[in-house]
Amino acid sequence: MDALTDVIQNHIEYAPVIIFGVLLLAGFNIPVSEDGMLFIAASLAIKNPEILTSLFLAVYLGAYCSDLICYGLGRLLGPKILQIRFFAGMIRQDKIDKIHDYYQRYGILTLIFGRFIPFGVRNGLFLTAGLGKMSAIKFACSDLFACTISTLSFFSLYYHFGTAVIEYVMEFNIVIFILALSVVGYVYL
C-alpha cells in the first residue's frame, strides 16, 4: 500500500485515474482496501484542494463500479465461480442461501450495514447477491444508496480529521466485524 501511495503522490495529476482503476480491481476480489483508497484520496484532497472533487468522484465511482463488477461475477458466472479455486473457499451454497435470505428480509439495510464491515465481507456480500440472483436493478439502486452513505461518511471523516480519526474508524470497523460475526454465528447455531 505504501508503494501505491508513493506512486499516486508522485503522479498527482493522475491520482483520480489511478485510484479509480485500483478500486476496480477490488471488484475482481483482488485485495485492495477501499478504506485505504478513501484515506489516500482524502489526504491528497487536503494537500491539493483543486482536485478534491475529482478525487472524491474517483473513489466513489471506483467503489461503486467495483461493487457492480463483483455482483456481475456472481450473477454471470453463477455456481461456476465456486469451482474456481480463488473463490471456492470464500462462499458455500448454504452461505449464499443465508445471505440471500438477509437480502429478502432486510433489503437495503443488508447492503448499508455490509458496506461498513471490513476485511473482505463487502465483496462477499456483493458476490453473494449476484449468486443469489438478486435483481440487478434492485442491487444497483440499493448499492448506490449504500455506497453513497459509506463513501461520503468515510471521505468526510478522513478529509476533516485526517489521521486523528483513523484509529477510531479502525476500532469501529473491528466492532462492526465482530457484531457481524456474532450475528452469523447466532444464525448458524
Side-chain angles (χ1 to χ4, degrees):
M1 193 71 142
D2 291 333
L4 179 60
T5 303
D6 291 341
V7 168
I8 292 171
Q9 288 177 341
N10 291 332
H11 302 284
I12 194 70
E13 66 275 12
Y14 301 114
V17 174
I18 295 169
I19 290 169
F20 178 79
V22 168
L23 281 169
L24 288 183
L25 295 175
F28 295 101
N29 280 341
I30 294 173
V32 173
S33 171
E34 184 178 309
D35 295 325
M37 290 293 101
L38 279 160
F39 180 73
I40 290 170
S43 297
L44 290 173
I46 293 168
K47 296 174 187 170
N48 305 281
E50 68 279 3
I51 59 171
L52 181 139
T53 302
S54 298
L55 288 166
F56 175 75
L57 287 174
V59 76
Y60 172 67
L61 294 173
Y64 181 65
C65 291
S66 173
D67 300 349
L68 296 177
I69 289 169
C70 193
Y71 167 85
L73 283 174
R75 179 77 180 204
L76 297 175
L77 296 178
K80 293 176 190 170
I81 201 167
L82 298 177
Q83 295 171 357
I84 299 171
R85 186 175 182 202
F86 185 70
F87 295 101
M90 185 185 296
I91 298 179
R92 294 185 328 257
Q93 187 61 46
D94 61 327
K95 288 183 182 180
I96 294 169
D97 296 339
K98 185 57 71 179
I99 293 175
H100 180 70
D101 182 52
Y102 288 143
Y103 283 124
Q104 294 289 11
R105 290 196 322 203
Y106 305 113
I108 193 172
L109 292 177
T110 304
L111 283 173
I112 292 172
F113 182 72
R115 286 214 49 88
F116 287 92
I117 303 174
F119 312 120
V121 173
R122 290 180 196 126
N123 270 17
L125 284 172
F126 308 144
L127 187 65
T128 303
L131 286 167
K133 303 293 185 200
M134 181 181 192
S135 161
I137 292 173
K138 183 178 179 181
F139 176 81
C141 291
S142 297
D143 189 54
L144 181 66
F145 183 70
C147 186
T148 300
I149 291 171
S150 69
T151 305
L152 270 172
S153 299
F154 286 127
F155 189 87
S156 296
L157 280 172
Y158 295 146
Y159 183 77
H160 292 292
F161 300 105
T163 56
V165 78
I166 289 177
E167 190 67 34
Y168 295 111
V169 170
M170 288 173 47
E171 289 175 11
F172 174 76
N173 284 345
I174 290 170
V175 167
I176 293 294
F177 184 70
I178 291 169
L179 285 172
L181 284 178
S182 299
V183 168
V184 169
Y186 175 77
V187 169
Y188 282 115
L189 294 176

